Amino acid sequence: MVGIFNGSLFLVDEGSLLMGKGGDSEMEWINCTALKKGHRVIAGRPWDSIPGQAPRAKTGDSVFFISRSGRLLQLSASLKGFKWKDCKNPPGARIASIVDQEIFRENIVFTVGRNRRLYQYNKITDLWHEHHQSQHLVLSRSLGTATRPAAELSLRGSLFMLSEEGKLAEYKRSTADGWNWIEHGSPGINVKLVRAPGPCFEGSQLFLVGSDGNVHLRLMDQGEWRWVNCGFPNDEYESVVEVTDEFQGGLQREEKNSPFEHCHPRSHQLDPYRFLEML
């Protein structure tokens, strides 16, 4: 499963991209790879949108994927049907993963190359741009999470990604300082982050999974970032940890019947997109 977009479900079956749409009685499937100029794919864009903000549907909506050869692919939907476009790849680099598609900024797709560098693609100009990145910061090939203010014209926001060492990195844009990297590290000395970050609530509450099997929260509390260990569902599934709007310096626990009755008692440590690491 590589994405959900505009009510459609996208799956990959041995490289073929399948799109499922709900019908009156059963799911209707379309083989997008079999369409004119279709492509075989290995990965898609992040699933998460910004919590609390409805996605902006517009004419000419499209969704992006990555080909086996590391090229960025665009599948557009219109009244005439579906259309593939090969957006190619940055000069000298193949694409490994999509960090963000148009959540941070309209018409811009952020990607990580197989060389672990950050790039962006502009849908309007078809131009690629490589972002500045220190040599010691080596990005993971996992997906990312974007957050920005609700105002559509705002140039502020952040992209959260993981480093190859299993640490959290933030690429932040502010109106005063422009782009800057912030390295958040990991929840503990012996704990690595093992799954793509997200979702991010209110731009300051980011959930991640650690190598210890626990869910960790990176939280902005009174102007300072800090880590909170949220634990994992216990064997009896008697309670779950919730972050509420009334958060005041600590997590509030609320006892209730857990919806995770059949879950493994520890959070899954593997990235669902782990096959990207095999490229």
Side-chain angles (χ1 to χ4, degrees), residues 6 12 14 27 42 45 63 87 94 106 158 160 171 173 196 204 213 226 238 248 253 271 278:
N6 277 4
V12 172
E14 296 184 351
M27 187 79 78
I42 59 171
R45 66 172 198 163
V63 60
C87 304
R94 299 290 181 175
E106 190 172 353
S158 293
F160 289 96
Y171 195 39
R173 166 84 184 189
S204 61
R226 68 186 188 93
E238 292 179 349
Q248 296 293 338
R253 293 179 177 269
D271 191 330
M278 303 177 184

Side-chain angles (χ1 to χ4, degrees), residues 51 223 279:
L279 296 176

